[in-house]
Amino acid sequence: MSRETLSFPPTSIPPLEPYLPLTSPSPSSKPHLTLTYATSLDASLSLAPGVRTTLSGPYSKSMTHYLRTRHNAILVGCTTALVDNPALNSRLGSITSLDQQPRPIILDPKGRWDFTEDSQVIRLAAEFKGKGPWVVTKRGGETKERGELLERVGGKFLVLETGEDGRFKWGDVLSVLGEQGVRSVMVEGGGEVINSLLIDPENRLVDSVIITIAPTWLGKGGVVVSPSRQQGQTSQLKLRDVSWQPHGEDVVLCGRILRS
C-alpha cells in the first residue's frame, strides 16, 4: 500500500530544537531519550486495549515524522507492534537516503511479536524505505527462522535479561542500545511502555517530553497515561522548561521532567 509523502515546515523547527538530541553527542553519554505520544484530553492513547485510535492531526503527524529523522532510533513495545503493525519509518519528502531513517526498536521481553515478511516494518526495510528492526527480547525469545528474516532486511535480535517481573529495566535497554552505537532514541508507545518510563527512578532517564494533545475525549475504558503511584509517594511528577505550541486543532506540549 502506497502512503503519502509528508512535509514539515522549517519555521516549525526552532520551537522544538531545545528538546531534541544534540547533533554531535558525546560517545560516552547515555542515549538521549525523548518520550513522545499523542493523547486525548482525558489522557487516553486509544479507545480500548487493542484498538488502534488516530488522534494526531495533519500537522502533528508530520511533526512526528520529522522528530523521527532527528533520532537514531524509535522504540515501541510489542503490543503496539502487534496492534498497529506500524511502519516505524519517516515519510518526509526531504529524506534522500536510508541513513536518514531511524532504526526501529521493538521491546519484546516475552517473544510475542510473531512478525512475518508481510509486517509493515519488515516489508519497508526490504524495499529500502526504512531500516531493519532490532528486536529486544529475553534469551529464548528469539528463533532461528525469525532471526534469519531480520538479518535479510538488516535487522537483528538483541538479547537482554529481564527482571523478576518479566520486564526489562530501562537502564539496561539504553545501555545495550548505546553499545550498538545508538545516541538518541524516541519512545513512541504504547501505554505500558510510556507509564513504565514515568515511574521513579526510570523517569530520570527521560531527557525530554513532546506530547500532542488532541481536542477530544475518548471516555472511560481507554488506554491511559497514568503512571502507578509508588507506596509512600507524596511528590508530584512535573515538567519544567515547558513550551505550548498550538498547531491546527492540536496543541504540542514540550518539556523536561523536573528533578527533585
Side-chain angles (χ1 to χ4, degrees):
M1 179 180 64
S2 177
R3 307 185 75 181
E4 77 274 17
T5 298
L6 303 174
S7 62
F8 188 67
T11 53
S12 296
I13 296 174
L16 296 171
E17 200 68 51
Y19 308 96
L20 299 180
L22 298 173
T23 53
S24 300
S26 169
S28 60
S29 62
K30 80 163 185 64
H32 176 107
L33 193 156
T34 302
L35 178 60
T36 180
Y37 57 92
T39 180
S40 65
L41 292 171
D42 47 357
S44 292
L45 302 174
S46 66
L47 283 163
V51 177
R52 184 173 185 175
T53 306
T54 300
L55 291 170
S56 300
Y59 167 85
S60 44
K61 178 192 291 186
S62 297
M63 180 193 71
T64 296
H65 284 259
Y66 170 75
L67 294 176
R68 289 178 176 181
T69 68
R70 294 294 302 271
H71 293 78
N72 295 154
I74 51 176
L75 184 150
V76 299
C78 173
T79 300
T80 297
L82 287 168
V83 173
D84 292 352
N85 186 24
L88 299 180
N89 68 341
S90 177
R91 300 205 310 274
L92 285 189
S94 58
I95 290 181
T96 58
S97 74
L98 192 60
D99 289 339
Q100 294 172 277
Q101 291 284 357
R103 174 73 62 182
I105 310 288
I106 291 86
L107 290 189
D108 189 15
K110 299 179 182 178
R112 294 191 301 128
W113 187 37
D114 191 20
F115 55 88
T116 69
E117 58 186 18
D118 292 324
S119 300
Q120 266 207 103
V121 66
I122 300 292
R123 178 175 54 80
L124 290 173
E127 297 172 357
F128 303 103
K129 296 178 181 177
K131 291 180 178 177
W134 293 350
V135 182
V136 184
T137 191
K138 67 177 181 179
R139 193 167 303 280
E142 75 277 34
T143 66
K144 180 181 179 181
E145 181 180 358
R146 290 194 297 168
E148 290 174 347
L149 174 55
L150 286 174
E151 290 177 3
R152 286 201 297 272
V153 297
K156 60 184 174 182
F157 279 112
L158 297 176
V159 177
L160 194 61
E161 296 299 324
T162 58
E164 293 182 358
D165 58 0
R167 300 177 179 178
F168 297 126
K169 294 181 179 179
W170 278 104
D172 294 340
V173 172
L174 292 180
S175 291
V176 74
L177 294 181
E179 291 169 0
Q180 298 294 320
V182 172
R183 304 312 325 151
S184 58
V185 57
M186 178 168 138
V187 176
E188 294 192 11
E192 184 176 346
V193 167
I194 293 169
N195 284 320
S196 71
L197 256 179
L198 290 175
I199 297 173
D200 192 66
E202 308 292 65
N203 60 45
R204 300 175 186 271
L205 299 171
V206 178
D207 294 287
S208 57
V209 177
I210 301 176
I211 304 170
T212 297
I213 303 171
T216 184
W217 287 273
L218 295 185
K220 293 182 179 180
V223 177
V224 175
V225 176
S226 182
S228 299
R229 184 177 300 157
Q230 296 171 298
Q231 186 174 4
Q233 178 181 338
T234 58
S235 62
Q236 301 175 357
L237 183 61
K238 296 182 178 181
L239 291 178
R240 62 178 177 88
D241 302 331
V242 171
S243 164
W244 295 88
Q245 303 165 31
H247 294 287
E249 295 186 341
D250 299 334
V251 174
V252 175
L253 165 64
C254 301
R256 299 182 181 85
I257 291 178
L258 178 65
R259 311 298 181 198
S260 58

